[in-house]
């Protein structure tokens, strides 16, 4: 079995366990058990759990590359980058915890996405300092959207998830309406999050529209009147 065991198979199994039971359930011993090998067989690929988590993070984003195209508007490409990142991260519910656990500098796939975001900000004529901040806000925003209420918590069944939402809605509706009138009024969408499509498109609009508006103001300020 050891000759057939690939790095990809190890990280995919780790992501499956993390998504089903939480990242704390991902151990070298558990992985070896699931893959039918000895723990020593996994050390050929990952010497410890820290390296395994880095491998998981890299696998999450591997293959997702948005190449800057000077012929296309940077606004379109920036939006596609955010949408695409959300899509690939949503394949695994444990994606956000994995990315929170690692140093992004150690994840080549993440660095490629980050570099692309910086290049698009540069094309929009933001300063290096502004580009760094914008790229961080966008990437962190995409990670947060991917991990939002549209993703079920690890280990939670459909009935459990429905009951959790019901209890949250009832709790919000039971707040004093004189003190929290808007929360009580909007208890259902606050608890349930609304349609998945609206959640994503609205979130991406909020993230990218601010960048586009800032770029337009900068261009107007730097254009001779």
């Amino acid at each position: 079995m050891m000759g057939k065991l690939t790095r990809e198979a190890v990280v995919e199994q780790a992501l499956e366990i993390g998504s089903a039971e939480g990242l704390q359930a991902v151990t070298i011993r558990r992985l070896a058990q699931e893959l039918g090998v000895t723990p020593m067989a996994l050390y050929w690929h990952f010497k410890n759990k820290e390296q395994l988590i880095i491998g998981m993070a890299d696998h999450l984003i591997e293959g997702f590359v948005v190449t800057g195209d000077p012929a296309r508007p940077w606004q379109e490409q920036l939006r596609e980058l955010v949408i695409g990142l959300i899509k690939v991260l949503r394949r695994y519910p444990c994606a956000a915890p994995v990315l929170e656990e690692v140093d992004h500098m150690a994840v080549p796939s993440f660095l490629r996405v980050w570099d692309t975001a910086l290049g698009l900000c540069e094309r929009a004529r933001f300063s290096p300092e502004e580009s760094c901040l914008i790229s961080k806000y966008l990437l962190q925003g995409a990670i947060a959207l991917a991990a939002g209420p549209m993703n079920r918590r690890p280990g939670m069944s459909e009935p459990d998830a429905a009951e959790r939402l019901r209890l949250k809605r009832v709790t919000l509706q039971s707040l004093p309406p004189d003190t929290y009138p808007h929360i009580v009024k909007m208890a259902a969408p606050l608890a349930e999050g609304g349609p998945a499509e609206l959640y994503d498109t609205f979130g991406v609009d909020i993230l990218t529209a601010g960048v586009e508006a800032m770029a337009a103001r900068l261009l107007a300020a730097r254009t001779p009147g």
Side-chain angles (χ1 to χ4, degrees):
M1 175 69 180
M2 189 168 71
K4 298 179 181 179
L5 186 63
T6 64
R7 182 183 179 92
E8 182 178 9
V10 174
V11 295
E12 285 184 353
Q13 185 63 49
L15 288 166
E16 291 291 345
I17 295 172
S19 295
E21 303 176 34
L23 203 54
Q24 74 284 348
V26 180
T27 65
I28 297 294
R29 184 175 296 277
R30 172 68 184 280
L31 270 175
Q33 180 183 358
E34 294 287 340
L35 292 167
V37 298
T38 65
M40 188 59 65
L42 299 184
Y43 291 125
W44 286 96
H45 299 290
F46 303 102
K47 293 182 179 180
N48 50 47
K49 185 171 180 177
E50 181 181 355
Q51 288 189 3
L52 173 62
I53 298 296
I54 292 173
M56 292 166 68
D58 197 45
H59 185 72
L60 283 168
I61 314 173
E62 192 174 20
F64 172 66
V65 179
V66 178
T67 304
D69 182 357
R72 295 180 57 215
W74 64 266
Q75 295 92 330
E76 289 182 9
Q77 295 180 75
L78 196 65
R79 183 179 178 83
E80 287 178 8
L81 184 147
V82 176
I83 292 173
L85 188 57
I86 293 170
K87 183 177 180 180
V88 297
L89 293 180
R90 192 160 285 162
R91 290 180 301 173
Y92 296 99
C94 69
V98 167
L99 289 174
E100 288 171 2
E101 185 116 347
V102 299
D103 178 1
H104 294 161
M105 298 293 292
V107 185
S109 294
F110 190 89
L111 287 176
R112 285 195 295 271
V113 176
W114 194 2
D115 188 74
T116 302
L118 286 169
L120 292 171
C121 291
E122 186 177 53
R123 278 187 55 193
R125 298 188 180 181
F126 287 106
S127 69
E129 293 77 13
E130 291 167 339
S131 296
C132 291
L133 286 174
I134 291 169
S135 65
K136 288 179 181 179
Y137 294 151
L138 287 174
L139 296 180
Q140 290 297 332
I143 294 169
L145 283 170
M150 299 303 107
N151 252 12
R152 191 192 307 165
R153 292 182 180 180
M156 182 171 290
S157 65
E158 288 285 358
D160 288 342
E163 178 62 12
R164 181 178 66 84
L165 290 178
R166 188 191 70 80
L167 289 174
K168 184 175 181 180
R169 174 173 49 78
V170 170
T171 300
L172 292 172
Q173 289 173 333
S174 66
L175 291 171
D178 293 340
T179 307
Y180 309 106
H182 305 297
I183 292 178
V184 173
K185 181 180 179 181
M186 304 181 199
L190 279 173
E192 298 165 9
E197 183 179 352
L198 176 63
Y199 178 84
D200 283 351
T201 57
F202 204 75
V204 173
D205 283 342
I206 290 174
L207 286 174
T208 57
V211 178
E212 293 173 8
M214 289 176 62
R217 287 201 300 269
L218 284 173
L219 181 61
R222 294 168 182 171
T223 301

